[in-house]
Amino acid sequence: MRSNRFTGSVTAPTAKSRYSRRPIWQVSVAVVSLGGMLLAACGQTSAATVTLTSSNSQQGSFSRIVRNYSAANNQANRTLSIARQNSDEQGTAAAIDNTDFQLSRDAGYQTAQGTSYKPFYEELDRAVVLKQTKKAYPKLLVTVDSQYTSTPKTANRSACRFLGVFAKNSSTAPWRVTDEPTVTKTLLPKVKVLSGSLGLEPQSSSPLSIPIDRLSKYYALALTTYYQQGVLSRGLKQADFSTSAECWSLPRLSTNPYLSPSSAQRVATSATVTALHPQMVALTTANGGALAVFTLHADLISSSAQNTAFTWRHSATVPDSYLLPAASGLHSIQIPLLLDIAVYDPPVAQTKIAPRVVGSYWGPLLGGTETRQAPKNA
């Protein structure tokens, strides 16, 4: 559970905040080395086949899972321990956050917030276990959590909520977070609560505005259209890309902060977004719609005008600048990006309501590439 710490400034350190999301100018490369880990952690179950199995007697165990995760996460953040982090995270969450830790180390940070660390406290609001057959794994647990910056938990409560998807890969394995989008409380749809259960019902076969197995591809195309043409479509709003309007934001393309001003004017940035795997989980809302969580992969590419070169710079105050080696004479740069997306998908009867992004969590990955400019007369 991490922040995306870049706020667009390279003049002062930016402390990481779990509630912020960073505007992005960045670029891309394939995630072949990560694909197996991500699919193994996230792609083994279908939301259409799961059934609800939870009872009020499990409230204490669910709360302990969330509190244990919060404590372990604080410990990892305080020491930038990738090994400790991997004991409580896997899949998309681990891929994003391990990169974040490595960049912090490269920039000389001592903790996930710079030279000192302020812990946060996670508390369960509600939870549901999604179950296949008794012997099937991974088991999935979905939680809606509140976060506090101090104890007791009644003080300093965030207005945001955290949608945690936990997976248990075997009977002896721990619960580990695989997806963790931050959601806006006011946008979180009312979910269907079953009598005698703790929380959310798995998405049923009721008609939706977009078939649930197509939703990730639907948003991959919408984001690609926005990044390549600047056109908002398929329910996307400009506010979805704002770093201040919500508890979260989708990445947006802006001026590359690591280029010199003269170079930045000659560099264009674009992106292609693909669905990395189908939705991790989908839950039924009170009106027969769905609340879905899935992961997207973005290839973001910045390239210069023909036969012009630019420079990539490092800044200790902006750890993301360590995604690539410092270099000059570059023609293009590429960096991969992963996005956890939470979406409300209305029932088909609500024909005038488009699907709506209600939360996200995203970050770049290591493995980007730099391309040297071709000789001028080549």
Side-chain angles (χ1 to χ4, degrees):
M1 182 180 301
R2 214 76 49 222
S3 68
N4 296 313
R5 125 201 76 186
F6 174 59
T7 62
S9 169
V10 296
T11 60
T14 46
K16 300 206 306 183
S17 163
R18 179 67 175 99
Y19 320 128
S20 65
R21 293 297 177 264
R22 82 188 100 190
I24 200 161
W25 45 270
Q26 290 144 302
V27 275
S28 87
V29 74
V31 241
V32 175
S33 62
L34 290 169
M37 176 184 71
L38 293 170
L39 292 175
C42 303
Q44 300 180 29
T45 188
S46 168
T49 64
V50 297
T51 57
L52 182 66
T53 170
S54 62
S55 66
N56 290 323
S57 63
Q58 292 178 300
Q59 176 71 56
S61 62
F62 292 157
S63 294
R64 283 193 297 273
I65 289 170
V66 171
R67 289 173 182 171
N68 289 343
Y69 170 67
S70 178
N73 194 250
N74 277 317
Q75 184 179 0
N77 288 350
R78 187 178 286 107
T79 60
L80 293 177
S81 171
I82 292 176
R84 185 69 190 87
Q85 177 164 267
N86 286 339
S87 70
D88 59 80
E89 292 187 1
Q90 62 181 0
T92 304
I96 294 172
D97 294 346
N98 284 344
T99 297
D100 195 46
F101 274 16
Q102 187 59 56
L103 296 175
S104 295
R105 290 175 170 184
D106 291 343
Y109 280 28
Q110 298 174 10
T111 79
Q113 294 176 338
T115 56
S116 61
Y117 179 71
K118 296 180 180 180
F120 57 82
Y121 304 91
E122 199 98 355
E123 291 287 343
L124 176 71
D125 288 348
R126 48 191 169 169
V128 65
V129 173
L130 303 180
K131 183 182 179 182
Q132 301 96 328
T133 63
K134 289 185 178 180
K135 295 184 179 180
Y137 286 93
K139 306 295 187 193
L140 294 181
L141 166 66
V142 180
T143 69
V144 179
D145 308 325
S146 293
Q147 189 177 90
Y148 305 83
T149 56
S150 65
T151 54
K153 68 179 185 179
T154 54
N156 299 311
R157 186 185 191 187
S158 168
C160 308
R161 295 296 180 267
F162 305 98
L163 196 63
V165 180
F166 289 78
K168 184 179 178 66
N169 295 339
S170 72
S171 60
T172 58
W175 287 102
R176 293 193 291 173
V177 164
T178 62
D179 293 74
E180 50 179 347
T182 304
V183 295
T184 303
K185 180 183 177 182
T186 56
L187 296 180
L188 191 63
K190 185 177 181 180
V191 294
K192 188 173 182 179
V193 179
L194 299 183
S195 177
S197 73
L198 286 174
L200 317 182
E201 181 185 6
Q203 192 275 322
S204 67
S205 58
S206 60
L208 299 169
S209 64
I210 302 296
I212 203 68
D213 59 343
R214 300 181 190 175
L215 200 60
S216 57
K217 294 181 180 179
Y218 176 92
Y219 273 99
L221 180 58
L223 286 169
T224 297
T225 299
Y226 176 71
Y227 292 143
Q228 294 186 357
Q229 303 174 28
V231 176
L232 292 168
S233 63
R234 301 175 180 241
L236 288 178
K237 303 178 183 298
Q238 192 60 54
D240 296 338
F241 300 86
S242 170
T243 58
S244 59
E246 304 288 358
C247 299
W248 51 272
S249 72
L250 297 174
R252 61 185 175 88
L253 306 184
S254 59
T255 302
N256 184 333
Y258 314 125
L259 302 179
S260 64
S262 59
S263 293
Q265 295 173 2
R266 301 194 300 269
V267 176
T269 303
S270 184
T272 300
V273 182
T274 57
L276 185 61
H277 58 74
Q279 80 288 340
M280 167 69 93
V281 65
L283 307 167
T284 300
T285 59
N287 64 356
L291 176 63
V293 179
F294 51 85
T295 299
L296 302 177
H297 169 251
D299 280 334
L300 295 93
I301 302 176
S302 289
S303 57
S304 66
Q306 186 176 10
N307 294 330
T308 61
F310 60 88
T311 298
W312 179 270
R313 303 180 300 179
H314 284 170
S315 170
T317 62
V318 185
D320 283 2
S321 65
Y322 290 85
L323 282 164
L324 295 171
S328 59
L330 301 177
H331 177 69
S332 66
I333 47 180
Q334 302 183 53
I335 295 174
L337 186 77
L338 290 183
L339 303 91
D340 270 350
I341 305 292
V343 168
Y344 166 60
D345 191 9
V348 71
Q350 296 185 350
T351 56
K352 295 183 179 181
I353 301 178
R356 175 69 196 270
V357 178
V358 297
S360 74
Y361 184 66
W362 59 271
L365 301 177
L366 296 173
T369 61
E370 298 172 317
T371 303
R372 296 283 177 178
Q373 181 185 4
K376 188 172 183 178
N377 296 324

